[in-house]
């Protein structure tokens, strides 16, 4: 973030001219990198938490933490507090987190060098909070877990998963007894077989489209 456009333009591109002089990135490539760096400062908080490299905090956990603690300051404050009991650990109580990940988060914020890194990122202009604080749509799918498998025609799996999450659903990568629904597209494989084995309801893409259009949970024939 300390690199300005002029510096980027004159960085070596990793190859040389015929006369042996290094080829520089130039205005086009340097400008593209500079623009990408500027844009990265306004990424959602979940992306920042994931990028910090906190042990056990992958993309899914980072998203859960960002929803529970909409700013780095709030998460840091809670992380540095010692909960009175495990039951009162507000980090561990976040869905999908638990005591092991909560301990890792607390250890990260307990290290002075990590807090200094966050301060340097903040000084560089990196956004450390999510301005958005409430759900944009009714959370009608809260408590339901979906697993997506196979190829979908109208959506990518990432698009479908994001749309389900907007309604409050949880999207998991594997099928278990706790799975509410499996959405099976073309060429669905082992996840579909696992759902059938466990008796998990399976939805086709048309059923998924109804859920995403109405926000209502699927109706399952008993």
């Amino acid at each position: 973030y300390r690199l300005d456009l002029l510096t980027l333009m004159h960085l070596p591109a990793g190859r040389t001219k015929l006369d042996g002089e290094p080829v520089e990135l130039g205005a086009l490539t340097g400008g593209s990198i500079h623009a990408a760096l500027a844009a990265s400062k306004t990424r959602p908080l979940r992306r920042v938490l994931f990028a910090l490299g906190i042990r056990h905090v992958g993309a899914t956990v980072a998203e859960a933490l960002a929803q529970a603690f909409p700013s780095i300051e709030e998460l840091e404050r809670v992380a540095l507090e010692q909960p009175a009991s495990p039951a009162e650990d507000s980090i561990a109580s976040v869905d999908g987190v638990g005591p092991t990940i909560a301990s890792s988060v607390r250890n990260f914020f307990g290290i002075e060098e990590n807090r200094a890194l966050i301060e340097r990122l903040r000084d560089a202009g990196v956004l450390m909070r999510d301005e958005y604080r409430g759900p944009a749509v009714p959370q009608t799918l809260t408590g339901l877990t979906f697993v997506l498998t196979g190829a979908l025609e109208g959506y990518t799996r990432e698009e479908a998963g994001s749309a389900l999450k907007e309604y409050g659903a949880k999207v998991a990568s594997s099928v278990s007894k706790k799975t509410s629904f499996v959405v099976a597209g073309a060429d669905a494989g082992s996840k579909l077989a696992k759902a059938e084995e466990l008796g998990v309801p399976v939805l086709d893409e048309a059923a998924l489209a109804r859920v995403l259009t109405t926000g209502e949970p699927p109706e399952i024939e008993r």
Side-chain angles (χ1 to χ4, degrees):
Y1 289 122
R2 293 195 182 110
L3 295 173
D4 57 27
L5 178 56
L6 186 61
T7 301
L8 286 167
M9 288 170 55
H10 292 294
L11 287 177
R15 58 186 188 276
T16 58
K17 302 176 184 177
L18 293 176
D19 60 5
E21 288 294 316
V23 175
E24 298 179 341
L25 291 180
L28 183 60
T29 302
S32 296
I33 295 174
H34 188 259
L37 286 170
S40 73
K41 295 181 181 181
T42 58
R43 295 290 185 256
L45 178 60
R46 68 179 187 276
R47 298 278 294 274
V48 177
L49 291 174
F50 177 65
L52 286 174
I54 304 172
R55 189 181 182 192
H56 302 309
V57 177
T60 300
V61 172
E63 183 173 2
L65 289 172
Q67 289 177 347
F69 306 100
S71 72
I72 283 280
E73 292 84 0
E74 186 173 347
L75 179 58
E76 180 179 336
R77 177 183 59 77
V78 173
L80 294 177
E81 293 176 350
Q82 185 63 37
S85 68
E88 297 180 21
D89 188 338
S90 57
I91 299 178
S93 64
V94 175
D95 186 32
V97 177
T100 299
I101 298 176
S103 176
S104 180
V105 172
R106 293 182 187 282
N107 289 339
F108 178 87
F109 282 101
I111 297 173
E112 184 177 354
E113 289 83 355
N114 293 337
R115 298 196 304 274
L117 169 62
I118 291 171
E119 189 63 32
R120 290 198 302 274
L121 291 172
R122 184 185 291 110
D123 290 344
V126 176
L127 187 64
M128 293 288 183
R129 64 171 54 247
D130 280 339
E131 300 301 327
Y132 169 71
R133 294 300 300 265
V137 297
Q139 303 297 280
T140 49
L141 302 182
T142 298
L144 299 179
T145 299
F146 290 76
V147 172
L148 305 170
T149 184
L152 302 173
E153 293 184 4
Y155 319 84
T156 65
R157 288 210 296 266
E158 182 178 342
E159 289 169 345
S162 296
L164 288 167
K165 290 177 183 178
E166 286 185 7
Y167 285 108
K170 180 179 179 180
V171 178
S173 58
S174 59
V175 181
S176 71
K177 292 181 179 179
K178 295 183 179 180
T179 304
S180 306
F181 301 97
V182 168
V183 178
D187 301 320
S190 59
K191 293 179 183 179
L192 174 57
K194 184 70 171 180
E196 292 171 341
E197 176 187 338
L198 295 177
V200 175
V202 177
L203 307 177
D204 59 16
E205 186 165 351
L208 171 65
R210 286 193 293 271
V211 173
L212 298 184
T213 300
T214 66
E216 295 300 320
E219 294 183 4
I220 302 299
E221 295 182 4
R222 302 296 182 183

